[in-house]
Amino acid sequence: MDRRETQAPEELQPQEEAALLAQQAHRRRARFRFTLAVFAGLATIGWLAGQLLLPDMPTPVLSAKPAPSEPALAARWASLMPMQRTHESDSLVAGDSLAALLARAGIDDVEADAALDALRAVFDPRKLKVGQKVRIFSEWPNNIPADKRAEDNTKRFAGFDFIPEPRQRLVVRRTGHLDFDAVKQERPLSERFFFTDTLISSSVYEAARGGGMSPNLVVELIRLFSFSIDFQRDMRDGDQLEVLFTRRFDENNQLAEEGDIVFAALTNRGKRYAYWRLANDDGTHGYFDDEGRSVQRLLMKTPVDGARLSSRFGMRRHPILGYTRLHRGLDFAAPRGTPIYAAGDGQIVALGRNGDFGKYIRIRHRNGYETAYAHMNGYARRLKKGVRVKQGQVIGYVGSTGLATGPHLHYEVLRHKKPVNPRDLEVPAQTSLTDAGLDKLRMAQTAIGTRINALATDDNRLHSLPRRSATAARQ
């Protein structure tokens, strides 16, 4: 049997052992430096991610000063003794006055007169309209507990306030014995956007009202399209209406006033009329189509709102005289007193009674055009021959003066003294945008389109016909 011997390992020389130890120490230091570098890199990446991806957070600033209190409505009221206050509300009725309203609330005549005298320094109370809401304030010292108010006789009339217009509040406050002070307070309003997109089934008015627009804004909308569309003849069921408009709200989130039409489009018989609101350099605004042409034309096709076309242009049998003759204009049946508007800018060349036409106005416009308005019930104030009027300005009211069977407006358009059919008018736009104006229009279109897309739901976007039922989207 073979015999194997186990040999002992060779012992290292001192120089070799020292070199091996040095090599091992170098490797340990390298691993340590690598580990530190890895951790440092991860920390740097984390810090950069925090700076670039997370939203900026405000740096808190500590201060020993107390938060400022709400400023006094009037600086001179800051020194008045603090009082407990309550109020009751009432509204003016027909034949009412502010003095009568205060008397109805049980305010002493002497105190009411003193408060009204203070008010008259900044506002004429005779300008208040029926329905105006007024808050009447009472006050008593702070040291009277709530359960003792009825027994205490220190309660007194403290003043009143009301909102005569959306952006202003008038406050009358007691400052001493029979002393009152009145100030005007500006009301900050916030504007919100609304969008409606609906099909027309009965009328533009009903469709717009169903989309949440106020009556006054609907009237403005109808006037906007009245230059291009004959609402008596052109409208069809299934036409589409799209409107972006604004409303303004007060600090209590209550509607303070209607705003403006920012964009409007009406698809009529497959043709789309779209107009965008654009501010002018002089602070006014206008509406323009996609090519920069003003919506306003030289003349309006319909110078009265909400009227029914009762008689057309052309030969007809006269309803009173009984024989056939040329009807030189259009008749619009409307309730007596309905406002009549100037069809375009111009100068009044005739105003007064004119035979069978009754009360009558004729206006001279540019380019040889004239318009005439007959059977009026009366004229707007401060109008006379030679006065210049603006398009859309109220010049009179529907009536039945002269030879008429009922209240209506007889409306004529003459070109170089010859009658033309107002429904066939093709007059040019009043203005067109310059290249700089077109650039502004494109920016406005982009902003308005973004606003509409933000408001519209998936079923309420701008699409071609046909469309579904109306909805209104709100910001």
Side-chain angles (χ1 to χ4, degrees), residues 71-82:
L73 183 58
R76 55 187 177 274
W77 295 354
S79 60
L80 296 179
M81 183 177 69

Side-chain angles (χ1 to χ4, degrees), residues 193-239:
F193 288 82
F194 296 77
F195 178 61
T196 181
D197 183 0
T198 181
L199 292 181
I200 299 170
S201 58
S202 58
S203 67
V204 172
Y205 184 89
E206 293 298 330
R209 291 287 288 133
M213 298 180 68
S214 69
N216 289 341
L217 213 56
V218 174
V219 170
E220 183 179 337
L221 176 73
I222 292 173
R223 288 183 193 167
L224 183 65
F225 288 107
S226 66
F227 297 100
S228 306
I229 296 175
D230 186 339
F231 289 102
Q232 299 286 340
R233 179 177 62 180
D234 295 340
M235 299 308 299
R236 294 289 184 272
D237 286 351
D239 286 349

Side-chain angles (χ1 to χ4, degrees), residues 446-474:
T446 301
I448 290 170
T450 301
R451 177 75 66 178
I452 290 175
N453 288 333
L455 291 172
T457 64
D458 290 340
D459 289 333
N460 194 21
R461 293 184 184 275
L462 299 175
H463 294 302
S464 301
L465 292 174
R467 296 303 314 279
R468 299 197 294 178
S469 60
T471 55
R474 181 167 72 99

